[in-house]
Amino acid sequence: MKKKIVLSLIALSSITLAACGNTDKKAEKDDTPKQKVESSQSSATKTSESKKETKEEVSGDFVKSAKDATFNGTTLKGNSYTVKITSNKVIQPGEAGNEYGDKPVLAFWYDTLVSPDYKSDTAIDPSTAWLMNFKAVQDNDPNKVNELKVAGLPDEQFLDSQMAKIKPGGTVSNAVAYELSDNDTPVTLIAGRMGNEYGKAEFSVK
């Protein structure tokens, strides 16, 4: 399984964000109200600059371009595909989903949705969609960032579909787990790619 995930990660490295393949080069329209300023000239300048920096809000499951990708703690929304967390829980050693581990794990269940407009030859699978965009951190070390290791698949129903190629417009479910280093410190799930952070959320391990 690990070999398959590594190969898939290499294959998908050409996608700007697993959730955002192609970049829309058209100028984005921004209807967000701007703060009042003293002079109309200054206001016009600030409005122009704000249009360049503000991510365009769109309804539905996808954003318009890769630069608009966001993570609100539940959904990583991109323009090529989107990852939606459906549930999470801590699994103790010996319990179903963590039968062979000696430490508790924090498991996430999620859906990966591929845009109907996705036309790249690079196939998207649920395991790579998650691993290319998320990392989990347990902030319990005073000297270094404690990024958690990915544990074994916590739900055997996904054994045959975790690396499945998702069709444009399709949705495939999967699960992933992280090995905890203590039973008290919350886990921060961070979404991002290539130095760009799209958002983060904290999950209790109690």
Side-chain angles (χ1 to χ4, degrees), residues 15-40:
I15 301 177
T16 304
L17 160 69
C20 302
N22 302 318
T23 302
D24 186 354
K25 295 182 180 178
K26 295 180 181 180
E28 305 291 347
K29 182 180 178 182
D30 187 357
D31 297 324
T32 304
K34 306 296 183 299
Q35 292 182 344
K36 293 181 180 179
V37 293
E38 293 181 1
S39 70
S40 59

PDB file of all heavy atoms in Angstrom, residues 15-40:
ATOM      1  N   ILE A  15       0.372  18.556 -10.442  1.00  0.00           N
ATOM      2  CA  ILE A  15      -0.842  19.307 -10.186  1.00  0.00           C
ATOM      3  C   ILE A  15      -0.546  20.398  -9.157  1.00  0.00           C
ATOM      4  O   ILE A  15      -0.032  20.123  -8.097  1.00  0.00           O
ATOM      5  CB  ILE A  15      -1.964  18.391  -9.661  1.00  0.00           C
ATOM      6  CG1 ILE A  15      -2.256  17.298 -10.695  1.00  0.00           C
ATOM      7  CG2 ILE A  15      -3.217  19.190  -9.372  1.00  0.00           C
ATOM      8  CD1 ILE A  15      -3.295  16.312 -10.238  1.00  0.00           C
ATOM      9  N   THR A  16      -0.852  21.644  -9.498  1.00  0.00           N
ATOM     10  CA  THR A  16      -0.521  22.770  -8.625  1.00  0.00           C
ATOM     11  C   THR A  16      -1.010  22.563  -7.212  1.00  0.00           C
ATOM     12  O   THR A  16      -0.286  22.729  -6.256  1.00  0.00           O
ATOM     13  CB  THR A  16      -1.131  24.067  -9.187  1.00  0.00           C
ATOM     14  OG1 THR A  16      -0.660  24.236 -10.515  1.00  0.00           O
ATOM     15  CG2 THR A  16      -0.737  25.252  -8.343  1.00  0.00           C
ATOM     16  N   LEU A  17      -2.244  22.211  -7.069  1.00  0.00           N
ATOM     17  CA  LEU A  17      -2.809  21.823  -5.772  1.00  0.00           C
ATOM     18  C   LEU A  17      -3.692  20.650  -6.111  1.00  0.00           C
ATOM     19  O   LEU A  17      -4.431  20.707  -7.057  1.00  0.00           O
ATOM     20  CB  LEU A  17      -3.631  22.962  -5.168  1.00  0.00           C
ATOM     21  CG  LEU A  17      -4.649  22.568  -4.091  1.00  0.00           C
ATOM     22  CD1 LEU A  17      -3.932  22.109  -2.832  1.00  0.00           C
ATOM     23  CD2 LEU A  17      -5.553  23.722  -3.764  1.00  0.00           C
ATOM     24  N   ALA A  18      -3.593  19.601  -5.342  1.00  0.00           N
ATOM     25  CA  ALA A  18      -4.429  18.453  -5.659  1.00  0.00           C
ATOM     26  C   ALA A  18      -5.867  18.887  -5.750  1.00  0.00           C
ATOM     27  O   ALA A  18      -6.653  18.320  -6.468  1.00  0.00           O
ATOM     28  CB  ALA A  18      -4.257  17.369  -4.606  1.00  0.00           C
ATOM     29  N   ALA A  19      -6.216  19.909  -5.014  1.00  0.00           N
ATOM     30  CA  ALA A  19      -7.577  20.418  -5.099  1.00  0.00           C
ATOM     31  C   ALA A  19      -7.723  21.456  -6.185  1.00  0.00           C
ATOM     32  O   ALA A  19      -8.793  21.960  -6.414  1.00  0.00           O
ATOM     33  CB  ALA A  19      -7.981  21.029  -3.765  1.00  0.00           C
ATOM     34  N   CYS A  20      -6.617  21.836  -6.840  1.00  0.00           N
ATOM     35  CA  CYS A  20      -6.677  22.927  -7.812  1.00  0.00           C
ATOM     36  C   CYS A  20      -5.694  22.721  -8.932  1.00  0.00           C
ATOM     37  O   CYS A  20      -4.565  23.176  -8.860  1.00  0.00           O
ATOM     38  CB  CYS A  20      -6.381  24.260  -7.139  1.00  0.00           C
ATOM     39  SG  CYS A  20      -7.482  24.628  -5.803  1.00  0.00           S
ATOM     40  N   GLY A  21      -6.096  22.080  -9.994  1.00  0.00           N
ATOM     41  CA  GLY A  21      -5.185  21.795 -11.084  1.00  0.00           C
ATOM     42  C   GLY A  21      -4.821  22.973 -11.932  1.00  0.00           C
ATOM     43  O   GLY A  21      -3.700  23.426 -11.959  1.00  0.00           O
ATOM     44  N   ASN A  22      -5.767  23.502 -12.711  1.00  0.00           N
ATOM     45  CA  ASN A  22      -5.483  24.547 -13.678  1.00  0.00           C
ATOM     46  C   ASN A  22      -5.724  25.915 -13.090  1.00  0.00           C
ATOM     47  O   ASN A  22      -6.607  26.117 -12.278  1.00  0.00           O
ATOM     48  CB  ASN A  22      -6.365  24.373 -14.918  1.00  0.00           C
ATOM     49  CG  ASN A  22      -6.168  23.023 -15.545  1.00  0.00           C
ATOM     50  OD1 ASN A  22      -5.050  22.550 -15.650  1.00  0.00           O
ATOM     51  ND2 ASN A  22      -7.260  22.380 -15.945  1.00  0.00           N
ATOM     52  N   THR A  23      -4.943  26.909 -13.547  1.00  0.00           N
ATOM     53  CA  THR A  23      -5.073  28.270 -13.059  1.00  0.00           C
ATOM     54  C   THR A  23      -5.854  29.111 -14.041  1.00  0.00           C
ATOM     55  O   THR A  23      -5.554  29.139 -15.222  1.00  0.00           O
ATOM     56  CB  THR A  23      -3.678  28.912 -12.841  1.00  0.00           C
ATOM     57  OG1 THR A  23      -2.973  28.108 -11.916  1.00  0.00           O
ATOM     58  CG2 THR A  23      -3.816  30.328 -12.316  1.00  0.00           C
ATOM     59  N   ASP A  24      -6.878  29.797 -13.550  1.00  0.00           N
ATOM     60  CA  ASP A  24      -7.678  30.678 -14.371  1.00  0.00           C
ATOM     61  C   ASP A  24      -6.952  31.996 -14.508  1.00  0.00           C
ATOM     62  O   ASP A  24      -6.711  32.689 -13.542  1.00  0.00           O
ATOM     63  CB  ASP A  24      -9.040  30.885 -13.695  1.00  0.00           C
ATOM     64  CG  ASP A  24      -9.984  31.686 -14.578  1.00  0.00           C
ATOM     65  OD1 ASP A  24      -9.529  32.152 -15.628  1.00  0.00           O
ATOM     66  OD2 ASP A  24     -11.156  31.820 -14.192  1.00  0.00           O
ATOM     67  N   LYS A  25      -6.586  32.392 -15.766  1.00  0.00           N
ATOM     68  CA  LYS A  25      -5.787  33.593 -15.975  1.00  0.00           C
ATOM     69  C   LYS A  25      -6.646  34.840 -16.142  1.00  0.00           C
ATOM     70  O   LYS A  25      -6.141  35.935 -16.242  1.00  0.00           O
ATOM     71  CB  LYS A  25      -4.907  33.412 -17.222  1.00  0.00           C
ATOM     72  CG  LYS A  25      -3.884  32.309 -17.046  1.00  0.00           C
ATOM     73  CD  LYS A  25      -3.014  32.189 -18.272  1.00  0.00           C
ATOM     74  CE  LYS A  25      -1.983  31.084 -18.117  1.00  0.00           C
ATOM     75  NZ  LYS A  25      -1.150  30.922 -19.301  1.00  0.00           N
ATOM     76  N   LYS A  26      -7.963  34.668 -16.179  1.00  0.00           N
ATOM     77  CA  LYS A  26      -8.837  35.821 -16.321  1.00  0.00           C
ATOM     78  C   LYS A  26      -8.874  36.618 -15.029  1.00  0.00           C
ATOM     79  O   LYS A  26      -8.760  36.077 -13.959  1.00  0.00           O
ATOM     80  CB  LYS A  26     -10.256  35.369 -16.679  1.00  0.00           C
ATOM     81  CG  LYS A  26     -10.332  34.705 -18.039  1.00  0.00           C
ATOM     82  CD  LYS A  26     -11.757  34.288 -18.345  1.00  0.00           C
ATOM     83  CE  LYS A  26     -11.854  33.606 -19.699  1.00  0.00           C
ATOM     84  NZ  LYS A  26     -13.239  33.189 -20.000  1.00  0.00           N
ATOM     85  N   ALA A  27      -9.082  37.924 -15.176  1.00  0.00           N
ATOM     86  CA  ALA A  27      -9.193  38.778 -13.980  1.00  0.00           C
ATOM     87  C   ALA A  27     -10.426  38.384 -13.204  1.00  0.00           C
ATOM     88  O   ALA A  27     -11.490  38.164 -13.763  1.00  0.00           O
ATOM     89  CB  ALA A  27      -9.277  40.253 -14.408  1.00  0.00           C
ATOM     90  N   GLU A  28     -10.281  38.282 -11.880  1.00  0.00           N
ATOM     91  CA  GLU A  28     -11.373  37.868 -11.022  1.00  0.00           C
ATOM     92  C   GLU A  28     -12.185  39.075 -10.578  1.00  0.00           C
ATOM     93  O   GLU A  28     -11.648  40.119 -10.221  1.00  0.00           O
ATOM     94  CB  GLU A  28     -10.824  37.139  -9.780  1.00  0.00           C
ATOM     95  CG  GLU A  28      -9.939  35.963 -10.097  1.00  0.00           C
ATOM     96  CD  GLU A  28     -10.738  34.812 -10.700  1.00  0.00           C
ATOM     97  OE1 GLU A  28     -11.979  34.853 -10.629  1.00  0.00           O
ATOM     98  OE2 GLU A  28     -10.114  33.912 -11.257  1.00  0.00           O
ATOM     99  N   LYS A  29     -13.498  38.954 -10.578  1.00  0.00           N
ATOM    100  CA  LYS A  29     -14.382  40.021 -10.123  1.00  0.00           C
ATOM    101  C   LYS A  29     -14.588  39.924  -8.631  1.00  0.00           C
ATOM    102  O   LYS A  29     -14.801  38.849  -8.117  1.00  0.00           O
ATOM    103  CB  LYS A  29     -15.724  39.906 -10.843  1.00  0.00           C
ATOM    104  CG  LYS A  29     -16.709  41.013 -10.461  1.00  0.00           C
ATOM    105  CD  LYS A  29     -18.008  40.825 -11.209  1.00  0.00           C
ATOM    106  CE  LYS A  29     -19.023  41.886 -10.809  1.00  0.00           C
ATOM    107  NZ  LYS A  29     -20.301  41.696 -11.482  1.00  0.00           N
ATOM    108  N   ASP A  30     -14.517  41.033  -7.931  1.00  0.00           N
ATOM    109  CA  ASP A  30     -14.644  41.034  -6.475  1.00  0.00           C
ATOM    110  C   ASP A  30     -15.722  42.021  -6.060  1.00  0.00           C
ATOM    111  O   ASP A  30     -15.586  43.212  -6.269  1.00  0.00           O
ATOM    112  CB  ASP A  30     -13.303  41.423  -5.846  1.00  0.00           C
ATOM    113  CG  ASP A  30     -13.336  41.263  -4.337  1.00  0.00           C
ATOM    114  OD1 ASP A  30     -14.400  40.904  -3.805  1.00  0.00           O
ATOM    115  OD2 ASP A  30     -12.288  41.519  -3.715  1.00  0.00           O
ATOM    116  N   ASP A  31     -16.800  41.481  -5.496  1.00  0.00           N
ATOM    117  CA  ASP A  31     -17.895  42.338  -5.052  1.00  0.00           C
ATOM    118  C   ASP A  31     -17.834  42.617  -3.562  1.00  0.00           C
ATOM    119  O   ASP A  31     -18.772  43.144  -2.980  1.00  0.00           O
ATOM    120  CB  ASP A  31     -19.244  41.687  -5.384  1.00  0.00           C
ATOM    121  CG  ASP A  31     -19.423  41.535  -6.887  1.00  0.00           C
ATOM    122  OD1 ASP A  31     -18.970  42.440  -7.605  1.00  0.00           O
ATOM    123  OD2 ASP A  31     -20.009  40.523  -7.314  1.00  0.00           O
ATOM    124  N   THR A  32     -16.723  42.254  -2.881  1.00  0.00           N
ATOM    125  CA  THR A  32     -16.606  42.460  -1.447  1.00  0.00           C
ATOM    126  C   THR A  32     -16.541  43.944  -1.127  1.00  0.00           C
ATOM    127  O   THR A  32     -15.713  44.665  -1.695  1.00  0.00           O
ATOM    128  CB  THR A  32     -15.328  41.780  -0.915  1.00  0.00           C
ATOM    129  OG1 THR A  32     -15.382  40.404  -1.277  1.00  0.00           O
ATOM    130  CG2 THR A  32     -15.244  41.926   0.591  1.00  0.00           C
ATOM    131  N   PRO A  33     -17.385  44.433  -0.235  1.00  0.00           N
ATOM    132  CA  PRO A  33     -17.353  45.868   0.125  1.00  0.00           C
ATOM    133  C   PRO A  33     -16.004  46.248   0.707  1.00  0.00           C
ATOM    134  O   PRO A  33     -15.420  45.504   1.475  1.00  0.00           O
ATOM    135  CB  PRO A  33     -18.469  45.987   1.176  1.00  0.00           C
ATOM    136  CG  PRO A  33     -19.348  44.801   0.941  1.00  0.00           C
ATOM    137  CD  PRO A  33     -18.429  43.714   0.467  1.00  0.00           C
ATOM    138  N   LYS A  34     -15.520  47.432   0.340  1.00  0.00           N
ATOM    139  CA  LYS A  34     -14.240  47.916   0.836  1.00  0.00           C
ATOM    140  C   LYS A  34     -14.463  48.935   1.949  1.00  0.00           C
ATOM    141  O   LYS A  34     -15.478  49.620   1.991  1.00  0.00           O
ATOM    142  CB  LYS A  34     -13.441  48.570  -0.302  1.00  0.00           C
ATOM    143  CG  LYS A  34     -13.271  47.672  -1.513  1.00  0.00           C
ATOM    144  CD  LYS A  34     -12.464  46.449  -1.163  1.00  0.00           C
ATOM    145  CE  LYS A  34     -12.225  45.564  -2.369  1.00  0.00           C
ATOM    146  NZ  LYS A  34     -13.412  45.051  -2.990  1.00  0.00           N
ATOM    147  N   GLN A  35     -13.471  49.052   2.845  1.00  0.00           N
ATOM    148  CA  GLN A  35     -13.563  50.039   3.923  1.00  0.00           C
ATOM    149  C   GLN A  35     -13.460  51.445   3.343  1.00  0.00           C
ATOM    150  O   GLN A  35     -12.782  51.680   2.348  1.00  0.00           O
ATOM    151  CB  GLN A  35     -12.439  49.826   4.930  1.00  0.00           C
ATOM    152  CG  GLN A  35     -12.575  48.539   5.718  1.00  0.00           C
ATOM    153  CD  GLN A  35     -11.467  48.419   6.737  1.00  0.00           C
ATOM    154  OE1 GLN A  35     -10.468  49.115   6.657  1.00  0.00           O
ATOM    155  NE2 GLN A  35     -11.654  47.531   7.691  1.00  0.00           N
ATOM    156  N   LYS A  36     -14.149  52.415   3.990  1.00  0.00           N
ATOM    157  CA  LYS A  36     -14.101  53.804   3.541  1.00  0.00           C
ATOM    158  C   LYS A  36     -12.740  54.395   3.841  1.00  0.00           C
ATOM    159  O   LYS A  36     -12.141  54.119   4.854  1.00  0.00           O
ATOM    160  CB  LYS A  36     -15.178  54.621   4.268  1.00  0.00           C
ATOM    161  CG  LYS A  36     -16.594  54.209   3.878  1.00  0.00           C
ATOM    162  CD  LYS A  36     -17.609  55.059   4.617  1.00  0.00           C
ATOM    163  CE  LYS A  36     -19.022  54.676   4.246  1.00  0.00           C
ATOM    164  NZ  LYS A  36     -20.015  55.485   4.969  1.00  0.00           N
ATOM    165  N   VAL A  37     -12.245  55.252   2.913  1.00  0.00           N
ATOM    166  CA  VAL A  37     -10.987  55.967   3.121  1.00  0.00           C
ATOM    167  C   VAL A  37     -11.235  57.446   2.890  1.00  0.00           C
ATOM    168  O   VAL A  37     -12.266  57.852   2.341  1.00  0.00           O
ATOM    169  CB  VAL A  37      -9.883  55.452   2.162  1.00  0.00           C
ATOM    170  CG1 VAL A  37      -9.499  54.039   2.503  1.00  0.00           C
ATOM    171  CG2 VAL A  37     -10.346  55.534   0.721  1.00  0.00           C
ATOM    172  N   GLU A  38     -10.272  58.285   3.258  1.00  0.00           N
ATOM    173  CA  GLU A  38     -10.481  59.723   3.240  1.00  0.00           C
ATOM    174  C   GLU A  38     -10.601  60.290   1.832  1.00  0.00           C
ATOM    175  O   GLU A  38     -11.386  61.191   1.584  1.00  0.00           O
ATOM    176  CB  GLU A  38      -9.336  60.412   3.984  1.00  0.00           C
ATOM    177  CG  GLU A  38      -9.347  60.103   5.484  1.00  0.00           C
ATOM    178  CD  GLU A  38      -8.236  60.816   6.204  1.00  0.00           C
ATOM    179  OE1 GLU A  38      -7.482  61.550   5.547  1.00  0.00           O
ATOM    180  OE2 GLU A  38      -8.116  60.653   7.427  1.00  0.00           O
ATOM    181  N   SER A  39      -9.789  59.831   0.886  1.00  0.00           N
ATOM    182  CA  SER A  39      -9.840  60.395  -0.453  1.00  0.00           C
ATOM    183  C   SER A  39     -10.322  59.359  -1.451  1.00  0.00           C
ATOM    184  O   SER A  39     -10.054  58.170  -1.322  1.00  0.00           O
ATOM    185  CB  SER A  39      -8.457  60.905  -0.874  1.00  0.00           C
ATOM    186  OG  SER A  39      -7.589  59.823  -1.086  1.00  0.00           O
ATOM    187  N   SER A  40     -11.012  59.791  -2.496  1.00  0.00           N
ATOM    188  CA  SER A  40     -11.533  58.864  -3.501  1.00  0.00           C
ATOM    189  C   SER A  40     -10.399  58.228  -4.286  1.00  0.00           C
ATOM    190  O   SER A  40     -10.490  57.081  -4.708  1.00  0.00           O
ATOM    191  CB  SER A  40     -12.477  59.614  -4.456  1.00  0.00           C
ATOM    192  OG  SER A  40     -11.793  60.683  -5.094  1.00  0.00           O
TER     193      SER A  40
END
